[in-house]
Amino acid sequence: MISSTPSVSGRRDATPEVTVLSRLTYPEVAVTRDGPLPAGYRHLRYRTSLGSGVFDVAADAVLAWRMHRAAGVRLTTSAPRAEVGVTLVSGLGVGPLRLNAPSQVVWVVDDARRAGFGYGSLAGHPARGEEAFLVERDDDGQVWFSVTAFSRPAGWLMRGAGPAAVAVQHAYVRRCGAVLRRLCRQ
């Protein structure tokens, strides 16, 4: 597992930790940060430019859950910002058709060039795996947003959804990119 500890600059740097989060439904913890993605899962990689001069705004929007909420996800979290061990339940849909997905943050990075986190599935999540949301500033000052994920169905619902579930996941990460660009312009 990856944890975060305060750095001299006040930002947070990722450092290895011995403790393993025991309620996760998959064994490959923090692979979205360290790679490579494991075999036996569907992989997703998405990257888009946010422009320049927007790193701090984008980093805060990702770490404080604003991007997810602005993308239309009903989100209940155990803390106001992403930190290792924080639990969250994402809800998509409405009323009795709402699909709830419990997860736990497994790694966080927040330094001068990178900010983001990865969360992993908990029991009750329709999929097993991990998803990471990362904002990075390159050497030219360009800011990039990326999503990296690996998953497989945890039960009949996701297996039955098949290719439609994959299409929804891809549409969701593209929506996150568009929403984050909008938040950076406000």
Side-chain angles (χ1 to χ4, degrees):
M1 178 181 100
I2 301 295
S3 177
S4 15
T5 56
S7 69
V8 175
S9 68
R11 295 289 231 168
R12 298 180 90 61
D13 297 315
T15 56
E17 190 174 288
V18 180
T19 308
V20 174
L21 299 171
S22 60
R23 301 181 309 152
L24 296 168
T25 60
Y26 65 101
E28 302 90 346
V29 177
V31 172
T32 55
R33 178 193 160 97
D34 301 324
L37 298 183
Y41 294 87
R42 283 180 265 181
H43 297 172
L44 180 142
R45 293 182 194 277
Y46 170 80
R47 187 171 191 237
T48 189
S49 173
L50 299 176
S52 59
V54 296
F55 178 81
D56 290 335
V57 171
D60 185 64
V62 168
L63 292 171
W65 318 111
R66 284 188 309 122
M67 177 196 67
H68 285 79
R69 288 187 171 110
V73 175
R74 176 179 268 177
L75 198 62
T76 305
T77 65
S78 65
R81 290 182 70 80
E83 295 285 339
V84 172
V86 168
T87 57
L88 58 143
V89 177
S90 306
L92 295 172
V94 291
L97 300 178
R98 182 174 313 281
L99 180 65
N100 290 318
S103 304
Q104 187 169 37
V105 176
V106 297
W107 65 264
V108 172
V109 64
D110 186 9
D111 61 34
R113 295 184 66 110
R114 297 175 359 128
F117 66 92
Y119 58 56
S121 58
L122 296 173
H125 196 292
R128 290 186 179 161
E130 193 171 289
E131 191 166 28
F133 304 87
L134 186 65
V135 175
E136 297 177 272
R137 180 176 21 217
D138 68 20
D139 292 336
D140 297 326
Q142 187 71 14
V143 180
W144 298 88
F145 169 65
S146 62
V147 179
T148 304
F150 64 91
S151 64
R152 63 179 168 218
W156 64 269
L157 180 63
M158 289 297 285
R159 274 193 293 281
V166 174
V168 167
Q169 187 181 30
H170 284 262
Y172 173 67
V173 298
R174 286 190 305 276
R175 174 143 174 78
C176 285
V179 163
L180 192 53
R181 273 191 297 280
R182 181 177 50 79
L183 291 172
C184 288
R185 287 192 303 263
Q186 292 180 347

